[in-house]
Amino acid sequence: MRQSLVIGNWKMHGSAASADALVSELLIGLAKLESVEVGVCPPYPYLPYVAIKASGTALGLGAQNCADQPEGAYTGEVSVAMLADVGCHYVLLGHSERRSIYAETDEAVVAKTAQVLAQSMCPVVCIGETLEQREAGNTLAVVGEQLGAVLAAFSAQELKTMVVAYEPVWAIGTGLTASPEQAQEVHKALREQLTSSDNSLGALRILYGGSVKAANAEELFGQPDIDGGLIGGAALKAEEFLAICAAAAKQ
Ligand code: PGA
């Protein structure tokens, strides 16, 4: 049995006041939910603050990015050890906004994954195709290559805490969602790739991301190979995010 997981990616949104209000509401709602693991990834400056509020609760904390080096003269970067120090468990890696706006390559994703694994934290490796790549019939090849880069770099034992997030680029922040069938087709192929790399990796969680909302969450999470979601816009509204978590808890 794979435990359902929902992670909220707040991106570069909010303020100390809005983070405070959002976490307060989430903690009340999540106290009533069982059978789902939930995490939030606030912007870096709010991490310690959210960590203090969420300490002793089931709400997990994550970062949206990390450095590819352990420490040193890397102005503007944040190491995974620092993230561990302030209570993070998850680190998002290779989000499509990092790949497209900041030119992050598969190599960079591998280097950052190594840092996360060295701290025994949970790498959430994001992969996904652009609309152009989908229309050219290359979806499975593109995501297969992105996941393959990570699988080739580490042993199955090292990757046992990894979470994969399939996020079609054309569905992120656009209001367009992959249909449950489209998403399931990709998740199934990813599961097969994990299993053929090492049987034990078939048990890893594969999240779907891209315009997930309360209205479509249940149908998406009901697919056999979709184990939860990585949520952007809808993670900023407590009621909406909690409804998505409730949909994952039902699976
Ligand atoms: P979205 O973002 O839910 O706003 O589409 C998802 C993500 O970027 O992780």
Side-chain angles (χ1 to χ4, degrees):
M1 259 309 277
R2 300 183 299 268
Q3 165 84 68
S4 294
L5 170 64
V6 177
I7 299 178
N9 171 12
W10 295 2
K11 308 193 180 182
M12 198 172 73
H13 291 297
S15 61
S18 70
D20 181 62
L22 182 51
V23 174
S24 299
E25 282 186 69
L26 292 184
L27 291 177
I28 294 167
L30 291 174
K32 300 176 204 140
L33 278 185
E34 279 170 14
S35 346
V36 58
E37 182 181 324
V38 180
V40 290
C41 301
Y44 286 140
Y46 306 135
L47 285 173
Y49 188 71
V50 173
I52 290 166
K53 275 195 81 105
S55 113
T57 76
L59 180 64
L61 190 64
Q64 300 171 20
N65 185 25
C66 67
D68 61 3
Q69 298 291 327
E71 68 161 325
Y74 300 100
T75 302
E77 293 294 300
V78 175
S79 75
V80 179
M82 293 169 187
L83 298 174
D85 211 12
V86 298
C88 286
H89 172 60
Y90 312 98
V91 185
L92 306 185
L93 298 166
H95 187 280
S96 78
E97 286 149 20
R98 301 292 324 163
R99 291 182 191 261
S100 67
I101 308 171
Y102 302 99
E104 246 179 58
T105 58
D106 284 341
E107 259 175 17
V109 173
V110 165
K112 291 180 179 196
T113 303
Q115 296 300 321
V116 177
L117 295 176
Q119 293 292 331
S120 305
M121 286 163 64
C122 173
V124 180
V125 175
C126 305
I127 59 180
E129 82 288 2
T130 62
L131 188 57
E132 224 179 12
Q133 291 165 330
R134 173 164 283 268
E135 284 175 348
N138 292 334
T139 298
L140 297 183
V142 169
V143 297
E145 192 174 319
Q146 291 170 333
L147 179 59
V150 176
L151 292 178
F154 305 99
S155 69
Q157 175 62 18
E158 287 173 306
L159 290 177
K160 65 180 194 294
T161 60
M162 178 170 72
V163 170
V164 178
Y166 167 58
E167 300 203 299
V169 178
W170 49 273
I172 295 178
T174 57
L176 296 173
T177 317
S179 68
E181 296 73 27
Q182 281 175 320
Q184 168 58 22
E185 183 197 10
V186 178
H187 280 237
K188 182 167 179 275
L190 295 171
R191 175 103 41 222
E192 284 166 5
Q193 185 177 2
L194 288 168
T195 308
S196 63
S197 161
D198 188 281
N199 213 23
S200 68
L201 295 180
L204 294 185
R205 283 153 322 163
I206 310 177
L207 309 183
Y208 170 78
S211 300
V212 178
K213 33 191 181 285
N216 59 23
E218 200 167 329
E219 216 187 346
L220 284 161
F221 300 163
Q223 298 299 311
D225 290 295
I226 302 185
D227 305 315
L230 179 55
I231 319 297
L236 298 169
K237 297 170 229 146
E239 202 183 329
E240 187 80 8
F241 187 66
L242 287 167
I244 293 169
C245 296
K250 281 191 197 165
Q251 301 306 316

